[in-house]
Amino acid sequence: MTSSGETTTGEVTAKEPGYPRHWEADVVASDGGIVHLRPITPDDADALVRFHQSLSERTRYLRYFGPYPRIPPRDLERFTHVDHRTRVALICMLGDDIIAVGRYEGLNPTPDGRVESAEVAFVVRDDHQGRGLGSILLEHLAAAARENGLRRFEAEVLVENHRMVRVFRDAGYQVKREFAEGVLHLEFDIDPTERSIAVRDAREQRAEARSVHNALHPTSVAVIGASTDPSKIGHAVLANLLKANFTGPVYPVNPATRSVRGVRAYPSVTDIPDEVDLAVVAVPAAGIDEVMDSCLEKGVKTLVVVSAGFADAGGSGVVAERRLVAEARAHGMRVIGPNALGVVNNDPSVRLNATLAPDLPGTGRVGFFSQSGALGIAILAAAKERGLGLSTFVSAGNRADVSGNDLLQYWQTDPNTDVVLLYLETFGNPRKFARLARRLARTKPIVAVKSGRHSGPTPALAASAAPIDEASVRALFEQAGVIRVETLTQLFDTALLLAYQPLPAGPRVAVVGNSSALGVLVADALLDGGLELAGPPVDVGTAAPPEEFAAAVARAIRDPQEGEQGGDQGGGADALIAVFVPPVATPGAEYARALREAVAGSDKPVAAVFLAAEGVPAELSVAGPDGSPGPGSVPSYPSPERAAAALARVTRYAAWRARPVGEFVSPPGIDAERARGLVARLGAERTHRLGDADAVELLGCYGIRVVEFREVSDADAAVAAAEELGFPVALKAVGERWRHRTDLVGVRLDLDDPASVRRAHADLARLTGQGEVYVQRMAPKGISCVLEIVDDPSFGSLLSFGLSGMATELLGDRAFRVVPVSDQDAASLVRAPRAAPLLAGYGGTEPVDLAALEDLVRRVGRIAEDLPEVRSLVLDPVLSSPEGAFVTGARITLGPPPTRRDDGPRRLR
């Protein structure tokens, strides 16, 4: 097996001056396979000739408008020698073969060699047409062209070339068409549009979902390293596949034996007579090269590597893992692992258990992704013990290739999954996770445990992880609607309620039980969780028979009748918690069955606290087709606090989901082009702070006005500036030591005549030892706030908002949002800090203009999104009042933009 990218062509491109290596990408095609895309080089001449010879006459005719049976030497020279600027060619590779080529040629260059328009064309090998490669090439060519300053593509297409016309038509650009003599002339701007981005994201979702579908729906499985020794992992995987009664053939691969567990074994995967969709690799890491070579030759679609000894072992294992993934992707394969537990699909038409776990939970509608292989067996055992059925389970181990993002794409459209559970240790691409999770959580709840809050990722995952701090994780989850839990116990508590009960319509909870003491505990826990009581807890007494208990539950859960008030046993609740202490004389099972029957068919969630009963006992279960608990089953919790906490999490999620989705509409008065030109003129090659005039100009491009000010050097100039601006004014010290201090020691406010200006100037001069001050017109009195763009190593930029003051700084009372921000994100951000009620009229004060604050947040969010060179922006203070939001101080730092892994054309990380 060769090292990552070390084909002959790769070695040449590494030495070629000006070769744009950052254009290289692994991309998922529409059938779920991988193609490697990269710029062409002169060393690709022979491969290009072979590619051209492999095309059918029809394909060559449609591309070149004539027979064109072979490439003349002059054309071959021109095709393979490009400048990667005005002439660009990209090729899609599968192994050592070119399977598609796309190029653009600049049109009408100016005297200095610049071009704004180019002719674009591409051709795909016949046996790879229909995989979406034309669309992939167009996306990447457009991104390269934009990087080189081009604005427009043109194309000449034969009208009968329906597939090519469809590529341009469906790309999401505004295409102008002209028709003459059987040829369509197409022309379109290549700046991303809302529709082109939506098209890209939809294609990405379908392709990545398909690649996971291929892994979870194999028609055949090979176990490489299947052993006759029951203590070996290869034996365990094969045994579990057979025990689950997988619906396709299973092929043990072991050169040292004729059969394993009574199934014929093959010396190599290449000796298997049929196709192999999924190969589970259970050989030591030292033998992976030979295994990879045979799998590549066989054309295996997906590898599940359960072996350890890669990045988890450090050192050379990291290199071996990267080589494994690079070689697999180069030949169109996906990799789950290494160091993975395996994959499960409980669909009766598949019955796949390619894991080390001998016992699986029953069939359900919950998908589970775990980064940890070691925890996987415990997770599956816990799910089974609690009665939580799963649709699919994937343990990605070191997560070298397939990640949680891929599974989110799959579950988005999987009809067998309603709830998604995640055990995460790291994020490979946090921006993409935020985008995918926000979309998925609108239809399917996501519950996530994020470990490493204090200790960081394990060494095996650190190599492929983006650094991300806790504040960023909290912002990401909150904004995307992900239900964040701290422990696996909380994960299962929440999942049981989501899997079997409907979402609550509101926060009002009824409590019914046979113990007043437990009822009070439940009430306290509900109120602690931010929920409301629908009435006093109902106590039927310990002597009440099951029928009376059930009747009280039915009264509490039903909707109030017309003219009837909700409350004490009168209905009006959005959810119910039933509390039960088993009496001595009557078995608890009868009460459990009575509860289940009383709430059957209800559209309100019900949780039970049957002390010492956890999960879904048989008496509370509504059995599905295979006997596992199904919808309508009532989860039981061993304590009131756990039941209330689970219901509180689900209620908050239901409230988030009920809110409007939010629109990403730009505020009026934004001139992004002028802003980009200003940043280009000021330079961002090194990190530097902008001067006041430049900061004001840049903010002005986004419609953000700083309250007018002047910088002066003496008392006379201060008086003149105050008279020019109009009284009253404020004087502010210039030095960093004095600016933006919460004690305002370097500020003098409400100066309403020349004499007070002179006195203030003298005070500040004595304090600072210099005569320079700012003179600023007084803004309307208001609540002082701080709005920032915070540099984050994983996202690039976050927005931070909080109220000014020493107490809020001490308590860290800041809220964060990931860009881009919608109108709903902006509204929630300014209401998120704990001190935010002060803005809404707390204590009888007049509420501030929150709409003006939201508008300011959206404008700053656009700066963060449009100008990645803005590494830091601080608006401090922003005085928020009923008259509006007034920016009285601003600091902006420019610097080299961060790498954004979720921008531009589709690519795997």
Side-chain angles (χ1 to χ4, degrees), residues 565-656:
Q565 295 295 317
D568 187 10
Q569 302 187 43
D574 300 306
L576 178 136
I577 293 182
V579 188
F580 181 78
V581 179
V584 176
T586 308
E590 294 185 23
Y591 288 84
R593 282 192 290 268
L595 169 63
R596 184 193 67 202
E597 293 167 1
V599 301
S602 173
D603 60 353
K604 300 174 182 179
V606 177
V609 180
F610 275 62
L611 296 185
E614 183 173 358
V616 183
E619 293 79 11
L620 290 174
S621 174
V622 177
D626 67 342
S628 301
S633 299
V634 179
S636 179
Y637 299 88
S639 72
E641 294 79 10
R642 282 174 57 180
L647 182 57
R649 295 185 202 103
V650 172
T651 303
R652 286 192 293 271
Y653 165 73
W656 174 87

Side-chain angles (χ1 to χ4, degrees), residues 784-801:
S784 182
C785 305
V786 182
L787 178 60
E788 302 181 60
I789 295 177
V790 180
D791 187 19
D792 184 273
S794 55
F795 290 101
S797 297
L798 293 173
L799 294 193
S800 167
F801 175 79

Side-chain angles (χ1 to χ4, degrees), residues 350-390:
V350 182
R351 297 195 299 271
L352 174 70
N353 179 14
T355 74
L356 301 176
D359 295 312
L360 296 180
T363 301
R365 303 190 62 79
V366 177
F368 203 133
F369 173 81
S370 171
Q371 280 185 3
S372 171
L375 274 178
I377 293 179
I379 287 171
L380 291 172
K384 181 177 182 180
E385 180 183 355
R386 293 172 184 237
L388 181 66
L390 299 183

Side-chain angles (χ1 to χ4, degrees), residues 667 699 702-705 785-787 799 801 821 826 830 850-863 875 878-879 885-887:
L699 291 172
Y702 285 85
I704 299 172
R705 180 176 173 271
C785 305
V786 182
L787 178 60
L799 294 193
F801 175 79
V821 290
V830 300
L850 285 170
L853 264 182
E854 295 168 19
D855 179 76
L856 183 62
V857 168
R858 290 164 60 201
R859 293 178 186 276
V860 173
R862 273 296 306 272
I863 293 176
L875 303 183
V878 176
L879 296 179
F886 300 89
V887 178

Side-chain angles (χ1 to χ4, degrees), residues 482-493:
V482 175
I483 302 172
R484 171 80 179 272
V485 294
E486 306 299 330
T487 65
L488 287 173
T489 297
Q490 293 175 356
L491 180 92
F492 286 117
D493 284 351

Side-chain angles (χ1 to χ4, degrees), residues 730-733 737-750 763-764 767 778 781-782 784 804-806 876-877 879 888:
L731 260 63
K732 302 179 180 181
R737 177 183 176 187
W738 312 105
R739 298 179 68 180
H740 310 291
R741 285 179 52 162
T742 54
D743 57 9
L744 300 180
V745 67
V747 179
R748 300 294 182 271
L749 303 174
D750 293 315
D763 287 348
L764 293 179
L767 177 70
M778 282 294 297
K781 293 287 192 296
S784 182
S804 303
M806 190 172 296
D876 179 22
L879 296 179
T888 62

Side-chain angles (χ1 to χ4, degrees), residues 130 140 228 519 682 836:
H140 285 261
T228 56
L682 297 172

Side-chain angles (χ1 to χ4, degrees), residues 220-224 249-253 263-264 266 272-276:
S220 57
V221 179
V223 181
I224 303 174
V250 178
Y251 303 106
V253 176
V263 181
R264 178 187 173 183
Y266 294 85
I272 297 172
D274 302 317
E275 291 186 356
V276 175

